[in-house]
Amino acid sequence: MAGFVSHFTNRLDAKGRVSIPAPFRAVLARDGYEGLYCITSSHCQAVDAGGNELCAEIEKCSEAFAKLSPDHDALSVALFGASENPKVDGDGRMTISDMIREHTGITDQVTFVGMKYKFQIWEPERFREYRAEAQKRAFAMLSGQAPASSGGEPA
Amino acid sequence: MAGFVSHFTNRLDAKGRVSIPAPFRAVLARDGYEGLYCITSSHCQAVDAGGNELCAEIEKCSEAFAKLSPDHDALSVALFGASENPKVDGDGRMTISDMIREHTGITDQVTFVGMKYKFQIWEPERFREYRAEAQKRAFAMLSGQAPASSGGEPA
DNA sequence: TGATTTCCCATGATATCCCATGTGAACCCG
DNA sequence: CGGGTTCACATGGGATATCATGGGAAATCA
């Protein structure tokens, strides 16, 4: 099925490498893998990662402003300056850069969280905290929102 | 026969596998089976499972918010981070992941409960308790709202 | 040249595939 | 109508493939 789902926690090895979960690699390949795109999240201590689909989303974001305009420039710096294209080795591992380490606080373990069109990279303990918070917010959002057309409360 | 109905209890084997009830497999196949979609329920100790129809329902939820926004991210983590695509082997069995085990308390038996457009996965004893409670609620709702003569629940 | 990074292979644990078996229900046939 | 047969399905287990992880050697960089 399509998209990144579920979450996985893997260990960093002595060289700073970590295996990207196999199901996520499969999604990347299906999406027409051209390298992994990573960008630090602006509102949480995580890194967004993905393939073409994530790239397209980010570009769409910056296209909202006219090129050469101050706004566009500022946004470009903010977006692309905080981005990376980590290499993925033949065994499906990526290296955690210093930028990612600093932004996420990752030391020896990494949690990968599927979010359908992208996935996030977290320090496991911080993810647990964020997740608890996210679940509360999600519950509030869904119950505040008008019920969907087809009968039946999702999840 | 449309949708998942009735309920079944099957045993887990030593490898953590359990047979998905044959009638449910038939429904999945008719729905255009592309893999099983599972998501932990936010309001009870069960896992929602289904095919395309359930998947579409979940996606619709997250479409209410702009991608890359904090709200969308939180919702995605709560929904997709708590989801899985268990593989189904040639004999119609799925493996119960640790995530499902923890959320449901399943140890050696699994109850599958049809809910028309999806089905739920329960630890048998917890399901019995939930069911007793649900029946009370349903009865109260129906007798409070509907005329005594009405033959069944609304579609 | 010394320090990293990249590539490649080794390994243990786990998951997946494939086939065997038991059991109950449906079916057929006399 | 009764007895035997077949079938579908849940379950078990051995063989095999996949995956995360570790480490050495070659390549790259400064």
Side-chain angles (χ1 to χ4, degrees):
Chain A
M1 232 178 279
F4 305 99
V5 295
S6 190
H7 63 274
F8 308 87
T9 298
N10 290 336
R11 264 196 302 282
L12 278 170
D13 67 16
K15 299 181 184 177
R17 299 173 299 184
V18 63
S19 289
I20 298 168
F24 288 8
R25 298 202 302 261
V27 175
L28 286 171
R30 218 187 98 284
D31 180 47
Y33 177 75
E34 292 175 20
L36 185 62
Y37 190 87
C38 288
I39 178 167
T40 56
S41 166
S42 57
H43 56 270
C44 56
Q45 294 178 309
V47 171
D48 288 344
N52 294 327
E53 220 177 327
L54 173 62
C55 274
E57 209 54 53
I58 296 193
E59 279 175 41
K60 199 160 67 183
C61 200
S62 78
E63 277 167 14
F65 299 88
K67 280 182 186 152
L68 300 180
S69 73
D71 281 346
H72 184 275
D73 279 3
L75 195 56
S76 293
V77 168
L79 291 178
F80 302 119
S83 300
E84 280 182 354
N85 289 119
K87 294 194 200 338
V88 178
D89 72 20
D91 299 326
R93 285 180 287 196
M94 63 180 285
T95 22
I96 299 296
S97 68
D98 288 345
M99 180 184 84
I100 296 182
R101 268 177 214 277
E102 281 169 29
H103 187 75
T104 59
I106 286 170
T107 56
D108 64 333
Q109 289 204 312
V110 181
T111 296
F112 297 85
V113 185
M115 297 169 70
K116 209 74 182 179
Y117 74 102
K118 70 181 180 188
F119 60 92
Q120 284 189 328
I121 296 174
W122 282 87
E123 190 282 320
E125 183 52 35
R126 290 189 185 171
F127 170 64
R128 270 190 286 277
E129 291 163 14
Y130 175 79
R131 189 189 185 196
E133 187 60 34
Q135 283 171 339
K136 267 186 254 171
R137 284 177 62 182
F139 192 73
M141 282 190 265
L142 291 178
S143 39
Q145 186 191 358
S149 51
S150 75
E153 286 264 343
Chain B
M1 68 171 173
F4 306 99
V5 294
S6 186
H7 66 272
F8 309 86
T9 299
N10 290 335
R11 261 197 306 280
L12 277 170
D13 68 16
K15 298 183 184 175
R17 299 175 299 186
V18 63
S19 289
I20 298 168
F24 288 8
R25 298 202 301 260
V27 175
L28 287 172
R30 278 167 30 98
D31 180 46
Y33 178 75
E34 291 177 23
L36 186 62
Y37 190 87
C38 289
I39 177 165
T40 56
S41 168
S42 59
H43 57 273
C44 57
Q45 292 178 308
V47 171
D48 288 341
N52 294 326
E53 215 177 329
L54 174 63
C55 213
E57 196 66 37
I58 309 275
E59 278 181 51
K60 200 160 59 184
C61 283
S62 75
E63 278 168 13
F65 301 89
K67 282 179 187 163
L68 299 176
S69 71
D71 281 344
H72 188 276
D73 277 4
L75 196 54
S76 293
V77 165
L79 294 177
F80 303 120
S83 299
E84 279 181 355
N85 290 132
K87 294 200 198 318
V88 179
D89 72 19
D91 300 324
R93 285 180 287 195
M94 62 179 287
T95 30
I96 299 297
S97 68
D98 288 345
M99 184 180 82
I100 296 182
R101 274 197 159 79
E102 282 169 29
H103 187 75
T104 60
I106 286 170
T107 55
D108 63 335
Q109 288 203 314
V110 182
T111 297
F112 296 86
V113 184
M115 297 175 71
K116 213 72 180 174
Y117 78 101
K118 70 182 180 188
F119 62 92
Q120 284 190 328
I121 296 175
W122 283 87
E123 190 282 321
E125 182 53 34
R126 290 189 185 171
F127 171 63
R128 271 190 287 276
E129 292 163 13
Y130 177 81
R131 189 189 187 198
E133 187 59 33
Q135 282 174 338
K136 261 187 264 174
R137 283 179 61 178
F139 186 74
M141 282 191 276
L142 291 177
S143 47
Q145 290 176 5
S149 58
S150 88
E153 68 162 18

